[in-house]
Amino acid sequence: MKERLLSIQNLSIKTKDEQLLLKDINLELNQGEMVALIGESGSGKSITARTVQGLLDSTMVVTGHVFYEDMNLLSLDKRNHHRLLGSEIGSIFQDYRGSFTPFIKVGKQMVEAIRSHYSISKKEAKELSLHVLEEIQLDSNRIFQSYPFQLSGGQVQRVAIGLALALKPKLLICDEITTALDVMTAEAVLDAIEKVRKETRCAVLFITHDLVQAYKRSDHIFVMQKGRIVEEGTPEQIRCEHQHPYTKELCSCLLSLPGERYLHTHQGVRTV
Ligand SMILES: Nc1ncnc2c1ncn2[C@@H]1O[C@H](COP(=O)(O)OP(=O)(O)OP(=O)(O)O)[C@@H](O)[C@H]1O
């Protein structure tokens, strides 16, 4: 039976001067599922994620419900909400700057972060850190011993991803995590997330501009435009049976996958 982990119901958000940012968002995510949120820039993907993370600007007017397990996150105070971050709700952002203190070695910071969530020894935390660094194809020993300023931007981002995975969250929010990575590295990172998802049955909310990745990797896709969800469905439904003009436009940019031919017909789009 599917176990619901996250349920966003009729979520609407306005700024204090009444600008509508989100309107009636409904989205569900079960344990072990990967759900993609795609849509144009400014459509409200990150705001939706930030609501779940408790990172919204406090002046925003929020209505609706956001249940994580049986907790309504919108009625939690900030302190209790932030306590969920890390080992319950993990986050990987596109902007990884500020994830690490520049003049403390990466390994020390990883070990401390892991031990702030789990009561394990330093040796165990180090082994876990090296393991996740290897999973995302970093030279684990070297990276562990390095200071963040000695690493490239992409390496620091991957360490941040490794750390989020090491905390084994039940829900992992990935916001545009591959934008700054080269194609091979992006694939390796997404493979590592996939592996953790299979091992731990964590749910993943995968925010991306990359329709191909959403199509390949997710169980369900939500399409956002101008603060609303305009369409949702399985990757196949979104690709081949879409109804909304915006989804149609998005899909028209989708190149055929290897071994497929991509046809526009009077009934919509078909792969052959
Ligand atoms: N702190 C804020 N105060 C007011 N408006 C905001 C704030 N943060 C975001 N917005 C607005 O909310 C809307 C949705 O922004 P959001 O960051 O969720 O978009 P997005 O879909 O994630 O875009 P992108 O793909 O470019 O990251 C935008 O119009 C944005 O300008």
Side-chain angles (χ1 to χ4, degrees):
M1 202 184 87
K2 287 185 175 176
E3 233 173 283
R4 180 134 318 137
L5 192 68
L6 180 71
S7 174
I8 298 179
Q9 301 168 4
N10 304 319
L11 176 69
S12 295
I13 299 182
K14 282 182 186 167
T15 58
K16 65 176 185 311
D17 49 6
E18 294 283 306
Q19 189 198 341
L20 188 62
L21 302 182
L22 288 187
K23 173 79 177 149
D24 286 334
I25 301 298
N26 288 290
L27 183 156
E28 298 204 325
L29 185 45
N30 296 315
Q31 209 177 36
E33 259 182 7
M34 178 142 170
V35 160
L37 203 50
I38 62 174
E40 63 193 3
S41 181
S43 59
K45 304 179 297 293
S46 298
I47 291 265
T48 305
R50 287 218 287 277
T51 313
V52 179
Q53 293 157 326
L55 300 176
L56 278 184
D57 197 327
S58 58
T59 59
M60 287 185 184
V61 183
V62 184
T63 55
H65 301 281
V66 179
F67 287 101
Y68 171 76
E69 294 184 325
D70 53 1
M71 271 175 278
N72 188 356
L73 297 180
L74 297 185
S75 55
L76 273 188
D77 61 62
K78 264 214 154 31
R79 226 176 97 213
N80 282 321
H81 200 152
H82 289 176
R83 273 202 193 127
L84 295 175
L85 302 184
S87 52
E88 290 281 339
I89 302 175
S91 301
I92 308 176
F93 299 101
Q94 178 184 359
D95 187 0
Y96 51 85
R97 284 165 300 182
S99 304
F100 297 97
T101 310
F103 299 106
I104 299 176
K105 283 186 177 171
V106 162
K108 187 171 173 11
Q109 297 192 58
M110 289 185 80
V111 165
E112 279 173 9
I114 293 169
R115 293 184 80 224
S116 71
H117 289 279
Y118 294 106
S119 36
I120 59 174
S121 68
K122 282 188 182 168
K123 185 166 173 281
E124 287 168 319
K126 178 176 177 181
E127 279 165 13
L128 179 55
S129 305
L130 291 173
H131 173 71
V132 292
L133 292 175
E134 269 156 36
E135 289 281 329
I136 47 176
Q137 301 189 358
L138 286 168
D139 178 354
S140 56
N141 283 304
R142 181 175 84 81
I143 300 285
F144 191 87
Q145 296 299 339
S146 300
Y147 292 96
F149 71 83
Q150 295 174 317
L151 305 180
S152 74
Q155 285 169 334
V156 176
Q157 188 191 18
R158 274 194 283 163
V159 177
I161 293 170
L163 180 56
L165 296 178
L167 297 179
K168 298 200 179 347
K170 286 193 199 160
L171 168 63
L172 181 62
I173 298 176
C174 303
D175 193 349
E176 294 293 352
I177 58 171
T178 56
T179 312
L181 300 175
D182 64 89
V183 177
M184 301 293 277
T185 308
E187 285 294 318
V189 163
L190 293 172
D191 286 346
I193 291 171
E194 192 67 17
K195 192 160 175 248
V196 168
R197 180 163 77 100
K198 293 217 165 98
E199 281 165 9
T200 65
R201 295 207 69 236
C202 73
V204 180
L205 183 60
F206 182 52
I207 296 175
T208 183
H209 286 126
D210 189 338
L211 186 56
V212 176
Q213 288 297 359
Y215 178 76
K216 268 171 58 183
R217 305 251 176 198
S218 63
D219 301 300
H220 203 84
I221 298 177
F222 289 84
V223 181
M224 288 191 78
Q225 189 193 31
K226 298 190 173 85
R228 289 173 165 80
I229 289 174
V230 293
E231 192 144 15
E232 65 165 294
T234 62
E236 279 302 328
Q237 285 168 335
I238 291 295
R239 190 164 186 215
C240 305
E241 298 163 28
H242 48 254
Q243 307 292 326
H244 195 276
Y246 176 63
T247 319
K248 185 173 180 186
E249 204 180 307
L250 261 182
C251 287
S252 70
C253 306
L254 186 64
L255 298 173
S256 54
L257 296 171
E260 276 184 357
R261 277 194 302 130
Y262 190 46
L263 287 184
H264 287 269
T265 68
H266 291 302
Q267 286 79 38
V269 182
R270 250 183 343 110
T271 53
V272 291

